[in-house]
Amino acid sequence: MNITILGTGSVGQALAKKLLTLDNNITIGTRDVEATLTKTELDGFGNPPISKMLTENPKIQLRSFKDSVAGADLVILAVSGRVAIDVLASSGELPAGMTIIDTTNPLDFSNGFPPSLFTESTTSLAEQIQEKFPHLNIVKCFNTMSNAIMINPQILDESSNIFVAGNDEKSRDLVKSLIFEMGWSVGEIVDLGDITAARGLEMIMPLWLRIFQSRGDANFNFKIAE
Amino acid sequence: MNITILGTGSVGQALAKKLLTLDNNITIGTRDVEATLTKTELDGFGNPPISKMLTENPKIQLRSFKDSVAGADLVILAVSGRVAIDVLASSGELPAGMTIIDTTNPLDFSNGFPPSLFTESTTSLAEQIQEKFPHLNIVKCFNTMSNAIMINPQILDESSNIFVAGNDEKSRDLVKSLIFEMGWSVGEIVDLGDITAARGLEMIMPLWLRIFQSRGDANFNFKIAE
C-alpha cells in the first residue's frame, strides 16, 4: 500500500519504519520540509529529529502535508491532538471513503505535566475530526500505548490489547488487517464499533500517564483480563 | 473492624456480604431506613432491593446515614457519584484521619446511556470529596470493575488489577490490607499514590462501559500487561 503518515514525531517515525518493513511505500507529511530536515535536537516532547531516520531509511519520502497525500491508499494522522484537524485540513484533497487512522490524543499541556484533556466527556477528538471531514472514514487506533509497543507488541511478556473504533466497517477491517500484519494477534485486537468508542479510548490516557509516572517507563499496555 | 458502608445498591451489598465473611462488623447506611426496607423491586440502575440480603445476613445492620457511622473504623462510600458529597455530609460526624474508601464514579445519565462524566479532566470526584472533607482520608478504590470481581477476583481466568489512590499513605496501606484479605494478590494491587490519580481511574469508566456494551457482560477487568 501507499501509506502517508502525517507527523514526524516518535509515533510517526515508529509507524513509518515498521510499515516500510512490511513492504509498503511510505511518505511522511510535515508542515515545512526544509525546517523539519534542519532540526537536530529532541523537541519539547522528546521527539527525535527525523533527518537521521530518513538517512537510514532512504525509501521513506518526506513531503509537505499538501503533497504527501497524493496517491495514498491510507493516511495515518500522527500529530499532536491540538493540531490534528488543522493538519488534515491543510493536507491535499482526500478522496471520499479514504481511511484515516487517528492516533492522536486530546492532550492539554497548558497547565504542565500531567496534561488534562481539551475535550469534554460527551465527545472525543476522533469524533470531532469525523464531523469536520464527513467524507473520510476516521478509525481510532494506536492512541492507548507507547510507540514501541504499537509496532512490536511482543516486547511485552504478556499479551495485551489494541483497540479499533470507527463508523465504517470496511475501514475498521482495513486497520485490523494492518495491525495484524504488524504483529497483533486476532485475540488482541478489540473492535469497539463506531467512532463514539473513541471517547473511552482517549479518556484512558490520564491513567496511562499516571502509570507511566508511577513506573518510570512506558513498557506496559492495557489488557482486558477475562 | 467496624465497617460502615454508605449505600444500599449492588456495590454496597456485595462489599457488605464479602466483608462480613472476613469477620468484620458491618453497618449499612441509607437515607431512609423504612423506605429502603419497603423496596421490593430492582431500581432504575438494576440494583436489587436490600431487604432480602439483610434477611439472609442478619448480622448486617441497616441504619440512617447519620446513625450508621458511629463507632466505625472505616467507611466505604458506595452511592451514585451525583450524591456522594451530600451523603458524606449528611452522615454523622467523622473523626479526623478516618479512612473513607470512595468507590463512586462521576456518571452523568442526563443524556441517557452510555453516561458521560460530570467532572472535568482537571479534577475528579474523589478530589472534590477530599477538598470538601479535608480532615478525612479519601482513598479511591473499587470504581474500575464490576462488584462481582471486586469481592472475588478469582472469578476471572486471568489475573487483573485493582488500583488505590489517596493522599495518606497509612490509609492507602489500610485499604491495601483490606483488599488483600478480600482475595487480591500483592502483585495485582497497584498503588498510584496521591488522590490526583483518581482522575485517570474515573476517566476509564467510559471505556469500561463501552467494553461492557460490546461484550454484553461485566466479566472482565483491566490489567496492566508488562
Side-chain angles (χ1 to χ4, degrees):
Chain A
M1 279 200 293
N2 295 322
I3 300 180
T4 295
I5 298 171
L6 301 173
T8 59
S10 302
V11 172
Q13 291 188 38
L15 291 173
K17 282 191 284 187
K18 178 71 173 193
L19 293 168
L20 184 68
T21 67
L22 298 172
D23 288 334
N24 298 290
N25 299 313
I26 307 297
T27 304
I28 296 182
T30 190
R31 193 172 304 279
D32 181 330
V33 173
E34 290 308 308
T36 296
L37 286 173
T38 57
K39 282 182 191 161
T40 55
E41 291 177 11
L42 296 185
D43 72 9
F45 296 97
N47 290 306
I50 201 169
S51 45
K52 181 164 172 283
M53 193 276 267
L54 292 173
T55 306
E56 291 167 359
N57 298 278
K59 286 188 177 171
I60 297 178
Q61 309 286 318
L62 184 70
R63 296 280 181 269
S64 69
F65 287 136
K66 193 172 175 198
D67 295 341
S68 66
V69 296
D73 300 308
L74 174 73
V75 171
I76 302 178
L77 189 57
V79 294
S80 66
R82 279 280 187 212
V83 299
I85 288 174
D86 283 352
V87 164
L88 208 49
S90 65
S91 298
E93 195 155 336
L94 292 163
M98 168 81 79
T99 301
I100 312 290
I101 301 182
D102 169 26
T103 73
T104 68
N105 277 304
L107 300 180
D108 177 0
F109 288 93
S110 61
N111 293 304
F113 195 90
S116 54
L117 304 185
F118 61 75
T119 44
E120 305 287 317
S121 65
T122 50
T123 182
S124 60
L125 181 53
E127 287 167 271
Q128 290 173 2
I129 297 169
Q130 182 63 79
E131 278 164 35
K132 191 81 179 177
F133 304 96
H135 67 298
L136 303 177
N137 296 339
I138 311 299
V139 178
K140 194 89 200 180
C141 191
F142 295 119
N143 74 301
T144 58
M145 65 191 73
S146 78
N147 59 67
I149 296 169
M150 288 176 198
I151 63 168
N152 193 3
Q154 287 83 9
I155 61 173
L156 298 180
D157 292 335
E158 302 168 274
S159 80
S160 62
N161 288 119
I162 185 165
F163 301 95
V164 174
N167 293 340
D168 186 79
E169 190 174 352
K170 282 187 185 162
S171 289
R172 293 202 309 275
D173 286 345
L174 175 66
V175 176
K176 288 189 276 184
S177 300
L178 188 79
I179 56 184
F180 177 79
E181 281 184 65
M182 290 171 69
W184 293 89
S185 70
V186 170
E188 290 175 326
I189 299 169
V190 179
D191 185 338
L192 288 173
D194 72 60
I195 196 74
T196 61
R199 294 175 201 178
L201 296 176
E202 295 175 8
M203 280 194 273
I204 63 169
M205 199 33 50
L207 181 60
W208 189 94
L209 288 161
R210 184 68 176 221
I211 295 168
F212 169 69
Q213 285 185 290
S214 179
R215 295 170 57 96
D217 69 66
N219 300 322
F220 68 92
N221 191 24
F222 291 110
K223 152 98 175 147
I224 302 169
E226 54 188 2
Chain B
M1 281 201 292
N2 294 323
I3 300 179
T4 295
I5 298 170
L6 301 173
T8 58
S10 302
V11 172
Q13 292 188 38
L15 292 173
K17 282 191 283 187
K18 178 72 173 192
L19 292 168
L20 183 69
T21 67
L22 299 172
D23 287 334
N24 297 289
N25 300 312
I26 307 297
T27 304
I28 295 181
T30 190
R31 193 173 303 279
D32 181 331
V33 173
E34 290 308 309
T36 297
L37 286 173
T38 55
K39 283 181 191 161
T40 55
E41 290 177 12
L42 297 184
D43 73 9
F45 296 98
N47 290 306
I50 200 169
S51 46
K52 180 163 173 283
M53 193 275 268
L54 292 173
T55 306
E56 290 166 358
N57 297 277
K59 287 187 177 172
I60 298 177
Q61 309 285 319
L62 184 70
R63 296 280 181 270
S64 70
F65 287 137
K66 194 173 176 198
D67 294 340
S68 66
V69 295
D73 301 307
L74 174 72
V75 171
I76 302 177
L77 190 56
V79 294
S80 67
R82 279 280 187 210
V83 299
I85 288 175
D86 284 352
V87 163
L88 209 48
S90 66
S91 298
E93 195 155 333
L94 292 163
M98 169 79 80
T99 301
I100 313 290
I101 301 181
D102 169 26
T103 73
T104 68
N105 276 305
L107 300 180
D108 177 0
F109 288 93
S110 61
N111 293 304
F113 195 90
S116 54
L117 304 185
F118 60 74
T119 45
E120 305 287 317
S121 66
T122 51
T123 183
S124 60
L125 181 54
E127 287 168 89
Q128 291 174 359
I129 297 170
Q130 182 63 80
E131 278 165 34
K132 190 82 180 177
F133 305 97
H135 68 297
L136 304 177
N137 295 340
I138 311 299
V139 179
K140 194 89 201 180
C141 191
F142 293 119
N143 73 300
T144 58
M145 66 191 72
S146 77
N147 60 66
I149 296 169
M150 289 178 196
I151 62 168
N152 193 4
Q154 288 83 10
I155 61 171
L156 298 180
D157 292 334
E158 302 170 274
S159 79
S160 62
N161 288 118
I162 186 166
F163 301 94
V164 174
N167 293 339
D168 187 79
E169 190 174 350
K170 282 186 184 161
S171 289
R172 293 203 308 274
D173 287 345
L174 175 65
V175 175
K176 287 189 276 185
S177 300
L178 188 79
I179 55 184
F180 178 79
E181 282 183 63
M182 289 170 69
W184 292 89
S185 71
V186 170
E188 290 175 325
I189 299 170
V190 179
D191 185 338
L192 287 174
D194 73 60
I195 195 76
T196 60
R199 293 175 203 179
L201 296 176
E202 295 175 6
M203 279 193 275
I204 61 169
M205 199 32 53
L207 182 59
W208 189 94
L209 287 162
R210 184 67 176 222
I211 295 169
F212 168 69
Q213 284 185 289
S214 179
R215 294 169 57 95
D217 69 67
N219 300 322
F220 68 93
N221 191 23
F222 292 110
K223 152 99 176 147
I224 302 170
E226 53 188 3

